[in-house]
Amino acid sequence: MPVQVFGADATFAILNRVFYEQQPLFYETYIHTVAKIGAEGAHAVARGLGEGYAPMHEARLSAMLLEKLGLLPHPALQGELANYLAAVGKANVGIVALQLGQILSGLEGATGELAIYSAAAARWNDELAASHALSSNPSNKGYATVEPFNNGQGATLELTSGPDMLRGTLYGDVFLAQSPGLLGSADVIEGGGRGMAGNVLLATLAGGDQVVPTLSNIESVYITAGAGTHFGAEKSTGIKQLMLDAATGGSALFTGVGRDAKVGIQNSLGGTALTVHFKAPWDKLAPVALALADATGADEIIVPDVVNLRIASMAGSVVATTVNSARITVAAAEEIVLTGNQALTTTVTGAHVEVINAGSMQAALDLAFATTGATPIGIIGGQVADRITVNDASGGRAAIDAGEGADLVTIGARNAHSITLGKGADVLAITGLASPGSWALGLDSAATLGRSVVEVTDFVSGVDQIRLSATTATAKATPGSAQLAAISASSSLLEAAALAAGTAGAHKAIAFRYGADTYILVNDATAALGARDSLVKLTGVPAVADADWTMA
């Protein structure tokens, strides 16, 4: 249908569908983001949402945007968009995404050469309209759907220990196999229709069980599994949600899972490592959805072969659990989006991760990132107080936007590249400075030195705090006002840093102003500027108080 959503509401709908795949219906997110668009402007919000994707290659960004808009396959358009992103700069990908969404919305009913986009535009406008209708409703939670439901009372059907062939009613039915041995590979279960709750299978597998049943039109499957179980979905169609429920520990394996199914761990009773293999996609960039709902303790979700993941942290049915705690191990992942309204503590491990975007997280995030490769990564924090830790000697450099709230960012000197603190009283801790493991300073020119600093933006003196530590005990230098004035009067940053190093002395740190910014130089064992010294830039900060930063 024609465009029905306008202004800030349309901006919100477009950006969330492009960057988060589905429109979040948490009413608080809707209110917060629409107000932010009104206060800061659509382009500012769009640019902020997209900045974590800037490390990605233009070709990948182009494919991602067009896939979200429903315009693939289109090799020519994909190539042109990649060229455009290169021309305007990948930092503006959020603005480009917004513009594309707006342009596509206007192409419904297009004629002539643009008629090829008319059908995609109609689908896009339907998605935006349905999503907005639900996201702006305070009573709604979850994700948008426009599928119709059958009204009526479904049935509860039980499986037996032998081969079963069950067909449900026209309404939402519940199929029960809640004792080990009831669900087997010979079972054929078909949901007859679709009620408000959908068709549900509740199954329990004993440790070591391996089952590959035939399921059709069973939207939700909940597996309670013992250690070493294997549930195969290779013969099944229509599964929208596949959850490991109330597992007692050990390991479990899901295989052959459709790419449109949400898969995860809920109501955990013990640490379980769940490995998920999805069916091969027509487009390797197509995202998959994972969920953690009251996952606790030593839980781990392992997805070895997916590039693009969306992971939601939400509440399950264990009242005492208020924080999801699980490791996320993703060998092939390049992009991860974290969403949800329950706090999440997680360690993400992946050698190729380029983006972790938690910009829509509604609850506290405690994120540690570990990589076995040197891929640069962009991380966007959530809307409340977060803990973000990136400390890996492998050397992947990180650009972090901590987001809103009083955040704690801890980052190793080998990984630190740029950190935006955002709103709130934030603490930034940088470890391992002035050591062989820290990122080398470029000393060929002032320009190369400027590119090798650790850049910190949004630092507010008297509100935020910097905590620096070196591998060898290092103290603050106490330069006089004349010495600081001489450093500030240097003709280049390289000259200023060299003078600051000589002024500070070995194993000393010195804060000085150059231009409009404050720098903190951490010296190694040599009282002269060297490649293994570390230089932190506080952008736009004319001066810092002694209480603003510590050195150890």
Side-chain angles (χ1 to χ4, degrees):
M1 60 185 69
V3 178
Q4 300 179 70
V5 186
F6 304 91
D9 289 333
T11 298
F12 172 75
I14 290 170
L15 291 174
N16 276 284
R17 291 202 70 82
V18 168
F19 287 117
Y20 303 113
E21 184 62 19
Q22 293 175 307
Q23 176 78 3
L25 300 184
F26 303 113
Y27 182 66
E28 294 81 1
T29 298
Y30 166 75
I31 292 297
H32 172 85
T33 309
V34 168
K36 189 173 183 179
I37 292 168
E40 300 178 12
H43 280 193
V45 173
R47 199 173 195 278
L49 286 176
E51 64 183 3
Y53 293 82
M56 294 170 59
H57 191 277
E58 290 87 350
R60 285 211 59 243
L61 283 173
S62 174
M64 180 192 79
L65 294 179
L66 295 179
E67 187 271 332
K68 303 293 179 55
L69 294 166
L71 295 175
L72 289 181
H74 199 315
L77 184 59
Q78 189 172 336
E80 289 299 321
L81 180 55
N83 292 337
Y84 181 69
L85 287 167
V88 302
K90 293 183 291 180
N92 294 306
V93 64
I95 297 174
V96 173
L98 175 61
Q99 292 171 335
L100 288 173
Q102 293 168 335
I103 291 170
L104 182 60
S105 284
L107 292 179
E108 184 171 350
T111 58
E113 294 182 352
L114 297 177
I116 59 172
Y117 303 111
S118 180
R123 289 193 299 271
W124 177 248
N125 286 332
D126 285 347
E127 290 174 4
L128 296 185
S131 296
H132 171 66
L134 289 173
S135 64
S136 58
N137 185 339
S139 65
N140 282 315
K141 308 290 181 183
Y143 293 97
T145 177
V146 294
E147 297 179 32
F149 299 105
N150 296 322
N151 294 316
Q153 182 64 46
T156 298
L157 306 171
E158 297 187 11
L159 279 72
T160 68
S161 58
D164 292 296
M165 297 187 66
L166 298 178
R167 178 181 175 85
T169 69
L170 293 177
Y171 313 109
D173 301 313
V174 177
F175 297 86
L176 299 179
Q178 292 183 288
S179 296
L182 295 185
L183 181 65
S185 296
D187 293 324
V188 178
I189 306 172
E190 181 179 352
R194 189 168 188 271
M196 287 293 293
N199 296 300
V200 178
L201 169 64
L202 304 176
T204 298
L205 303 179
D209 280 355
Q210 300 184 34
V211 299
V212 188
T214 301
L215 309 179
S216 176
N217 198 29
I218 307 298
E219 288 87 2
S220 299
V221 178
Y222 300 94
I223 304 294
T224 299
T229 55
H230 174 192
F231 174 83
E234 286 82 357
K235 298 188 295 183
S236 298
T237 58
I239 297 176
K240 300 300 182 184
Q241 180 169 259
L242 173 59
M243 301 294 289
L244 183 67
D245 181 54
T248 56
S251 63
L253 174 65
F254 292 166
T255 61
V257 182
R259 307 282 291 201
D260 57 346
K262 180 173 68 178
V263 185
I265 299 172
Q266 70 176 25
N267 306 325
S268 174
L269 300 179
T272 300
L274 171 63
T275 300
V276 184
H277 289 282
F278 289 87
K279 293 178 180 177
W282 69 270
D283 175 10
K284 73 172 187 176
L285 300 180
V288 301
L290 304 178
L292 298 169
D294 289 355
T296 59
D299 289 309
E300 180 177 15
I301 188 162
I302 304 165
V303 184
D305 45 15
V306 172
V307 172
N308 194 335
L309 297 105
R310 305 289 184 265
I311 304 172
S313 177
M314 60 187 69
S317 57
V318 181
V319 176
T321 301
T322 58
V323 178
N324 283 308
S325 180
R327 298 186 304 279
I328 299 169
T329 302
V330 284
E334 297 177 14
E335 178 190 338
I336 299 172
V337 174
L338 300 175
T339 63
N341 59 357
Q342 178 149 294
L344 172 64
T345 297
T346 185
T347 295
V348 175
T349 302
H352 305 288
V353 177
E354 297 177 0
V355 175
I356 299 176
N357 187 345
S360 70
M361 276 288 294
Q362 307 268 293
L365 171 66
D366 188 341
L367 167 69
F369 175 68
T371 173
T372 56
T375 302
I377 181 169
I379 298 175
I380 300 176
Q383 299 175 13
V384 297
D386 300 319
R387 291 166 54 97
I388 299 173
T389 304
V390 183
N391 194 351
D392 195 324
S394 67
R397 299 198 77 188
I400 298 174
D401 183 343
E404 301 183 18
D407 304 305
L408 170 60
V409 177
T410 302
I411 188 165
R414 183 70 176 172
N415 309 112
H417 178 49
S418 69
I419 300 99
T420 300
L421 296 178
K423 297 179 181 179
D426 301 311
V427 176
L428 169 62
I430 307 178
T431 65
L433 294 163
S435 72
S438 60
W439 197 265
L441 291 180
L443 301 180
D444 294 337
S445 66
T448 56
L449 177 60
R451 289 194 293 270
S452 59
V453 304
V454 178
E455 184 173 8
V456 180
T457 58
D458 284 353
F459 179 85
V460 179
S461 177
V463 176
D464 302 316
Q465 189 174 57
I466 305 280
R467 298 174 183 171
L468 306 178
S469 62
T471 53
T472 301
T474 300
K476 289 184 180 182
T478 55
S481 57
Q483 292 173 307
L484 291 174
I487 295 171
S488 297
S490 299
S491 61
S492 70
L493 176 61
L494 183 59
E495 180 183 316
L499 183 55
T503 301
H507 294 311
K508 290 292 182 69
I510 182 172
F512 64 91
R513 179 177 179 177
Y514 179 76
D517 311 306
T518 291
Y519 293 83
I520 302 175
L521 176 73
V522 182
N523 236 351
D524 62 8
T526 304
L529 186 63
R532 290 305 174 189
D533 295 335
S534 298
L535 188 59
V536 178
K537 176 184 179 182
L538 306 181
T539 301
V541 179
V544 292
D546 185 66
D548 287 338
W549 66 290
T550 61
M551 185 71 233

